[in-house]
């Protein structure tokens, strides 16, 4: 039997909104340690990894490992019926082919339960090795979202270049070119407004803006985003979920024709 | 001659928004006692009844009974030109084929008059007998609107079931099933947040969500809604209009195939 | 070399939004005295004239007169990437075929530069003679915008009639007629809420509402609008830009068939 109770139910709503643009169907994996998901986007270019640790739930019971296949748009339809202050409980009986979402209003006057059929989804779990990155940028998530959106009105790809001084986002398109530089800045009033760069060596990589924009759907989950870059690895765009876990997006850099020149 | 002056003009704007999704053309009936309307929706399934009593107007003059046929979308276009704090006056001369809406800004600096041609609309006035209902539910109108909207993302019909403990709204569709229970709750800080059930006997009836959603366009008119249910009668969904009257929506229950089984 | 630095960068964003619905491509003319633009709308019916005086800029350097042809939608795309509190600098090298917009965030942590190709645009500069007007109306710009929008839901043209008592906006369409009268009112708490009429003689002129609605896109630039009317001249709808200049829209009156009768 599975029973997960999350007092801050709006968090689950935000998680769904963060990934459903990228992923249509996916398996949610439940084990004693937590609730997780790993899925490729439909064009098999980007990877999403979600973890909500069991300690973060008010009540967490998972008698045996369970993989529940769901259509994320349908889950989202159901979760959108939860109030922002509702407590959400996810329930599944062993061997059942359904999952139940229960929403309780804070004063317990309104109780809703939504039952959904589970799906069989083939998926292989990719092992993601820990890696050393040439540069790690931590910046306000809303700033990163704004930059990706702004550059999309000019071009299709973004070149992210990191130096000790700051991180530069560049693009080019039919109407012109754009460069946005965010300087390293640790001395701000609020720590979540800092832009902090940990750099082993300068790095400059090109990515499709379309995917970056999809990743920024996770912005409501965290005030900061961490971008980890290395020349020979997919970028990791990570949004921490307070005291519970994270959503991580992985995307391989584009090989630009210019890069092939000696 | 007809001349009705309503200081709280925004109320008339809300009345139009409440009914124009359901009804296209309708007769407004004016008599010494008040301003009223009764109309079937275009598919002849639901009935709307509006009453604004003469006492609710700042000035009310109606020399003889008058039935004014109007296209509600056109009325709505004109009323949307009134400011939310404007005083609205409705005027018609005896025998005239036009009606005039006059809008005065609170400081009298801006005065607008809109004249509209009246239409001939055939309509028969249905007598609606007073009835005893098996169950009457009073609940916050915004809560009822939210439930109808939420269930619409899952299914097409809603089963409303009333017991002494509360009222349950249920639906089912391709993606799953949903049940939302609102418990009776009289002990709330604000009386308009109460959910109160007057029940002679338990009742469970099925309705098309599409119409219920149309009815909830009246939500801005009142903080509470009253739902009166009996097995052999159309449901009445009533929004009181403070100190003036009401909008009532009538809808026959659906006969479900399941209901026909013994 | 050209270098214009505007601390209140949001003003430039508002200027673009004010004119880009009317004008697609236009030359921005820079001289020692200021930054200006004059352009006909694409159907050659309305004229826009913009002036931002050099004194209004924090820094203004223009070594020689320069006419820079730009697609306003592309400029708008770039300016929308500036934050509302950003400082905007416009730069162009002598003889260069590009212009650069630089955006600095208030704390200097984020610096963006957008480079755009210039275009060759044929344009003839019309001399607009100073004129005496029969009537000049100054009123709140938001009120004027609301009236144009409201009347558009009824008809296609507006008759603006000025008398000593006030200004009347009238229209007629299939669904009826509308008249909105704004009375002269100089004794208001805030001077920007006044409606002030300077009249030599009464005047009544007809204009296409479509253009009037386009002009009101400039509403965010100024709390008041000035409308100057004469029977034999285009109307001037002017939005002052605080301490810097103005946007003026010119539109010829319609000759109504009724006007031709003796």
């Amino acid at each position: 039997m599975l029973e997960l109770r999350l007092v801050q139910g709006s968090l689950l709503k935000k998680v769904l909104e963060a990934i459903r643009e990228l992923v249509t169907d996916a398996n949610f994996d439940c084990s004693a340690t937590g609730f997780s998901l790993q899925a490729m986007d439909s064009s098999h270019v980007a990877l999403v990894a979600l973890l909500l640790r069991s300690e973060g739930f008010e009540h967490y019971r998972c008698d045996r490992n369970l993989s529940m296949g769901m259509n994320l748009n349908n889950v989202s339809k159901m979760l959108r019926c939860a109030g922002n202050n509702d407590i959400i409980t996810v329930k599944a009986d062993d061997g059942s082919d359904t999952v139940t979402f229960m929403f309780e209003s804070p004063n317990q006057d309104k109780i809703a339960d939504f039952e959904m059929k589970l799906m069989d989804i083939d998926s292989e779990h990719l092992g993601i090795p820990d890696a050393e990155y040439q540069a790690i940028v931590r910046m306000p998530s809303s700033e990163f979202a704004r930059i990706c959106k702004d550059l999309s009105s000019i071009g299709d790809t973004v070149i992210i270049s990191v130096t000790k001084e700051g991180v530069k986002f560049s693009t080019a398109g039919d109407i012109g070119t754009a460069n946005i530089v965010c300087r390293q800045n640790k001395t701000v009033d609020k720590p979540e407004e800092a832009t902090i760069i940990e750099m082993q060596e300068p790095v400059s990589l090109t990515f499709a803006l379309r995917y970056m924009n999809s990743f920024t759907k996770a912005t409501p989950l965290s005030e900061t985003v961490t971008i980890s870059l290395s020349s020979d690895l997919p970028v990791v765009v990570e949004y921490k979920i307070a005291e519970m876990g994270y959503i991580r997006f992985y995307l391989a850099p584009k090989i630009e024709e210019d890069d092939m020149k000696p």
Side-chain angles (χ1 to χ4, degrees), chain A:
Chain A
M1 188 195 175
L2 174 78
E3 192 171 303
L4 320 180
R5 183 175 161 92
L6 191 59
V7 173
Q8 201 188 342
S10 60
L11 197 145
L12 212 56
K13 299 176 69 168
K14 291 178 192 165
V15 164
L16 258 291
E17 294 310 306
I19 57 181
R20 78 182 176 88
E21 184 174 298
L22 222 51
V23 180
T24 311
D25 299 320
N27 285 315
F28 285 88
D29 298 312
C30 306
S31 71
T33 54
F35 189 73
S36 65
L37 171 149
Q38 197 198 74
M40 298 295 290
D41 83 290
S42 48
S43 54
H44 282 253
V45 171
L47 178 78
V48 186
L50 162 75
L51 174 65
L52 298 174
R53 276 184 287 267
S54 52
E55 308 93 80
F57 292 83
E58 195 201 14
H59 171 74
Y60 192 98
R61 178 180 166 185
C62 180
D63 297 346
R64 58 182 193 83
N65 288 3
L66 205 62
S67 187
M68 301 187 291
M70 304 190 203
N71 175 286
L72 298 195
N73 277 320
N74 291 349
V75 178
S76 171
K77 275 184 189 169
M78 293 190 163
L79 289 182
R80 263 180 277 165
C81 299
N84 278 326
N85 299 314
D86 281 6
I87 299 163
I88 297 184
T89 305
V90 182
K91 280 193 227 181
D93 286 323
D94 288 337
S96 164
D97 63 346
T98 64
V99 61
T100 299
F101 298 96
M102 200 174 92
F103 312 140
E104 298 163 69
S105 69
N107 65 1
Q108 301 286 322
D109 279 353
K110 182 178 165 191
I111 295 182
D113 57 273
F114 287 72
E115 195 178 274
M116 200 180 75
K117 269 241 169 71
L118 295 174
M119 311 163 67
D120 274 321
I121 299 171
D122 281 334
S123 73
E124 49 177 334
H125 200 88
L126 304 175
I128 301 166
D130 276 336
E132 289 282 306
Y133 287 92
Q134 290 168 323
I136 298 176
V137 177
R138 185 159 76 75
M139 64 186 293
S141 59
S142 57
E143 191 66 86
F144 178 63
R146 174 79 199 261
I147 289 170
C148 291
K149 181 173 154 286
D150 283 348
L151 294 185
S152 301
S153 65
I154 313 290
D156 296 328
T157 58
V158 55
I159 305 171
I160 305 181
S161 311
V162 186
T163 63
K164 277 209 159 27
E165 287 69 38
V167 52
K168 183 168 77 169
F169 301 88
S170 309
T171 195
D174 290 344
I175 71 169
T177 61
N179 296 291
I180 302 175
V181 175
C182 296
R183 292 186 185 149
Q184 167 142 241
N185 184 355
K186 301 176 179 178
T187 57
V188 287
D189 291 348
K190 300 175 194 163
E192 64 270 19
E193 290 176 0
T195 297
I196 295 167
I197 291 163
E198 289 171 37
M199 203 194 73
Q200 310 303 321
E201 53 180 307
V203 60
S204 179
L205 295 166
T206 305
F207 302 98
L209 272 168
R210 197 185 130 222
Y211 288 100
M212 286 291 172
N213 271 311
S214 286
F215 300 167
T216 64
K217 299 283 174 194
T219 302
L221 278 167
S222 178
E223 295 200 20
T224 61
V225 61
T226 305
I227 306 161
S228 304
L229 298 138
S230 265
S231 310
D232 45 3
L233 287 174
V235 63
V236 189
V237 178
E238 180 183 67
Y239 295 85
K240 289 230 185 301
I241 302 171
E243 288 157 50
M244 289 205 70
Y246 55 77
I247 291 189
R248 290 181 188 150
F249 299 98
Y250 297 83
L251 178 66
K254 289 197 125 181
I255 310 298
E256 294 285 291
E257 285 169 37
D258 285 4
D259 294 357
M260 297 187 183
K261 292 181 191 159

